[in-house]
Amino acid sequence: MDDTVDAQGTAIGVGTVVALAFFGYNRYINETIFGIDAAMLATAAFAATFAAVAVLHGTYGRRDLAFANGVAAIGLLLVTVAVSGPQVLGGLALLVASGSYIALVTVRARAENRELVG
């Protein structure tokens, strides 16, 4: 029996829980944590999740996905700390480009796996 661990799924799950905790704190308890906007911390937690997934992909040899997730992390951080419209648009452009690539590669990989198994 082959025991494998879905490190990507675990990283995404942990990052999502942290982000939701920050968001819930922002919504129901207080808008700030030690003077920092909790909603911004929630978004930064998602950016850190993208960065962690990028490191995982790099470790497993998928440099293309590592790069794409790293670009997504940068794009989300740019949107998070943006102070002008062009900065937001730049961050969104990075998110759209990297997200499109990640989605395309994921769909292709799953199709290849189905062909190998089926």
Side-chain angles (χ1 to χ4, degrees):
M1 174 181 253
D2 182 23
D3 291 324
T4 59
V5 176
D6 182 12
Q8 176 178 325
T10 302
I12 292 169
V14 169
T16 300
V17 168
V18 170
L20 287 173
F22 282 135
F23 178 75
Y25 185 89
N26 177 64
R27 177 76 171 108
Y28 298 108
I29 299 174
N30 194 355
E31 291 183 3
T32 62
I33 298 175
F34 301 116
I36 302 171
D37 182 26
M40 186 176 83
L41 290 174
T43 309
F46 273 125
T49 302
F50 278 120
V53 171
V55 169
L56 288 171
H57 279 298
T59 302
Y60 291 115
R62 290 299 309 257
R63 289 192 172 90
D64 60 334
L65 286 174
F67 180 75
N69 278 284
V71 170
I74 292 168
L76 192 52
L77 277 176
L78 188 57
V79 168
T80 301
V81 299
V83 293
S84 69
Q87 288 176 338
V88 172
L89 289 176
L92 289 175
L94 292 176
L95 281 169
V96 168
S98 61
S100 298
Y101 180 78
I102 292 166
L104 180 66
V105 169
T106 301
V107 168
R108 286 183 180 168
R110 288 183 180 162
E112 288 174 10
N113 284 341
R114 275 192 228 115
E115 290 175 7
L116 293 175
V117 174

